[in-house]
Every structure is written in C-alpha cells, then in structure tokens.
Amino acid sequence: MSDKPRINGWIILDKPLELGSTQAVGAVKRNLREGGYPKTKTGHGGTLDPLATGVLPIALGEATKLAGRMLDASKIYEFTVAFGEETTTLDVEGEVTEISDVRPSPTAIETVLPEFTGPIEQIPPKYSALKVEGKRAYDLARAGEDFALKMRTVTIYALKIIRHESTDSVTLTAHVSKGTYIRSLARDIARKLGTVGHVTMLRRVKAGPFTLSHAISLDKLNQIGKGAPLDDIILPMKAGLDDIPALDLDPEQARRLRMGQVDIGIVADDGQYWARDGEGSPVALIRLENGRTIIERGFNV
C-alpha cells in the first residue's frame, strides 16, 4: 500500500504527434504507478486525434467528475489548410480523392471567413469516432462501407488568419463550440473558395480554462515515474473551475453541503457556482435556480 497521498487534480499535457488520447491517459497512469502513488481514477477532457497536438486536460481522482465540463467547453485551435488536394480523412493521413489547381488569395480567404463564423452546419468527417448504428464511423470507413453522417449545428465564435506564407496553404485560428470538427471546417472553407483542401497541422491551444501555459511535455510527465515531485506538474482540482464563480461557505455550511443538504442559507444570483470551504477546497458544483440550491456534483476532497 502506497504511503503517498491520493491525487485530486489535473495534468495538462501538451500532447505530441502520433500519441492517442487514450495512450496519453495510459502514460499518466503508468507514471503515477511507477512513482509509487495510489491507484488513481483518470480520464481525459476531450479527445485529440493522433495527428493533432496541444492541450489535453487529464483529470485525476475527484477531478474526473469535472471531465464532462471539459468535453462541453469551447476550445481554440490553430490549423493549417493545404489547398489543392482533398483526402479521405481530410488530413495528411488519407488518400487523395480530389485535386484542384485553384489557389485562393489572402483577400479571397478573408472574404469567406465571416460565412463560417457564428452558428454553422457541418457534416463530420467519415473518419471520426462518431457511432453509426453502434459502430465507429472510422471503422466503417476503413472497411470501405458506404454510409452517411448527419449534418450538425456548431458555433464558430471566432475565425481568423494567422499567416498566409504561400499560395498553397493558410494557417488559421478558430474558437469553436463542442462538437466542431476542424477537418470538416477546413474542407468546407476550401470548397467555398472554389478549390479543395485538407489539414496538415492541427494544434489545440485552449480547452475550457486550460491553455498551453498550463501544459507540460511528455518528457516532463515521464519524470513522475522517476520520482520527480508533483508540485509543478499537477494543477489543483479547482483549476478546472476557474471559468465559473466561487461561493465561500462557512464550516457549518460546508459540512452540511457535503452531507447533501441544500437548505444551508446560500444567497446569490441564479447560475452555476462552485462552493468552497474555508481552505479553498471544492465542496460541490452547484446551481442556484429561483432560490433553490441544486447539487450537480459533490466532491470528496
């Protein structure tokens, strides 16, 4: 039995190329085990394709109760669209399916971007983890089966050019709602410009409240298994709540809320809050509605 404390918090990994999200979670578990820490419940807050890099929030212990919030959170990506070829996977991994000699100018690109800002409809890539009659779309696509994915509505909060170094490609940044597929966005932008394209670079720079400034490299993660301290590697659980207001509880209120009692004299405007005790530890994620307190998640910290 480990003499080290149980862990409740976040590891924000700057996921490298070719590492899957599930593999990243496995790497965290392995390092904690090799570092002598107790078995810890672990989960990630939003899948990144193996060919994507960047912010991958990994929840530990009680923070896994907040992983759903990360899935629902908006995200910011940087991505490069190469014009002239569309592929089966809409990225560099697939086979070329269409070609075009058209290369759009920076002005043309700037002109169409507003059409992809706000609520838009998009068809997800066939090579995605969405399920079709119980089977993953990418499995059906690899098997050569013919199927169609339903159009969905997503929101693009902001979309702009970062750089346009040649006529063959452009790098953009997009702030998007959950469920947005950047590969589909790149495909549709290229088609609107009268050409075809695919993603050659995809990097997530923000997920919910977490940015690259919070992220550590895989090399630094691997130091945990070699005995490195966790102080500058693991963020506290409350870091995943920084985007909503906190409510301070007195000791009696905190005790009663932990027991599931909601009539404890909380007075605040309607909305979602996280309630914390006198030491700043999360007690519960709550919602206030018409004077009622609703416990959405209770934390055993």
Side-chain angles (χ1 to χ4, degrees):
M1 187 174 179
S2 174
D3 59 353
K4 293 188 176 181
R6 292 193 174 276
I7 302 168
N8 299 297
W10 301 89
I11 288 177
I12 312 304
L13 183 66
D14 185 352
K15 190 191 81 64
L17 274 172
E18 299 183 354
L19 184 74
S21 299
T22 301
Q23 291 173 303
V25 171
V28 169
K29 289 181 175 180
R30 184 187 71 250
N31 275 283
L32 291 176
R33 183 174 64 251
E34 292 175 354
Y37 291 92
K39 187 175 181 180
T40 304
K41 188 175 181 181
T42 310
H44 65 73
T47 301
L48 271 180
D49 292 341
L51 292 180
T53 66
V55 176
L56 180 64
I58 299 176
L60 305 171
E62 287 293 285
T64 56
K65 294 178 178 178
L66 297 172
R69 290 195 73 245
M70 292 303 114
L71 296 175
D72 291 340
S74 67
K75 299 169 179 69
I76 298 177
Y77 294 90
E78 294 178 357
F79 62 105
T80 299
V81 186
F83 298 113
E85 295 181 341
E86 187 172 303
T87 69
T88 52
T89 58
L90 305 181
D91 59 24
V92 297
E93 197 172 41
E95 297 178 2
V96 176
T97 56
E98 291 185 54
I99 60 173
S100 171
D101 293 329
V102 176
R103 299 294 184 270
S105 68
T107 301
I109 298 169
E110 287 276 15
T111 300
V112 304
L113 292 188
E115 297 184 42
F116 293 92
T117 305
I120 67 168
E121 291 188 332
Q122 66 172 201
I123 298 174
K126 286 194 170 183
Y127 284 82
S128 67
L130 292 175
K131 286 191 175 182
V132 180
E133 296 181 355
K135 295 183 179 180
R136 296 290 185 188
Y138 52 66
D139 289 331
L140 296 174
R142 287 170 185 151
E145 295 192 29
D146 186 30
F147 64 97
L149 292 171
K150 293 180 180 178
M151 189 169 284
R152 56 167 61 184
T153 301
V154 298
T155 302
I156 312 298
Y157 302 108
L159 179 64
K160 63 181 181 179
I161 295 175
I162 296 177
R163 56 185 175 274
H164 189 267
E165 296 171 346
S166 74
T167 58
D168 293 327
S169 67
V170 65
T171 299
L172 306 166
T173 180
H175 181 196
V176 304
S177 69
K178 73 167 186 174
T180 302
Y181 282 91
I182 298 297
R183 287 175 291 152
S184 292
L185 181 62
R187 172 199 62 203
D188 296 343
I189 290 172
R191 288 181 179 178
K192 188 70 178 180
L193 289 163
T195 183
V196 292
H198 65 280
V199 171
T200 59
M201 184 280 291
L202 177 59
R203 182 158 176 77
R204 188 156 69 194
V205 298
K206 191 172 189 291
F210 299 119
T211 67
L212 285 171
S213 66
H214 300 109
I216 63 169
S217 67
L218 187 60
D219 286 343
K220 189 164 186 177
L221 172 66
N222 289 335
Q223 294 303 309
I224 296 176
K226 300 174 183 177
L230 298 182
D231 297 353
D232 57 348
I233 293 176
I234 293 189
L235 299 177
M237 199 174 105
K238 61 186 179 182
L241 296 163
D242 279 351
D243 54 338
I244 59 174
L247 282 176
D248 292 313
L249 305 178
D250 62 38
E252 180 60 16
Q253 286 177 316
R255 184 190 69 80
R256 291 172 61 191
L257 193 60
R258 285 192 173 103
M259 294 174 63
Q261 298 178 21
V262 294
D263 187 14
I264 59 173
I266 294 177
V267 179
D269 294 334
D270 284 0
Q272 189 181 49
Y273 299 86
W274 65 280
R276 61 189 178 190
D277 62 20
E279 296 179 355
S281 295
V283 175
L285 185 66
I286 63 173
R287 180 171 297 279
L288 302 183
E289 291 183 1
N290 301 318
R292 294 189 308 124
T293 300
I294 301 165
I295 299 176
E296 296 186 337
R297 289 285 185 180
F299 305 121
N300 183 25
V301 180

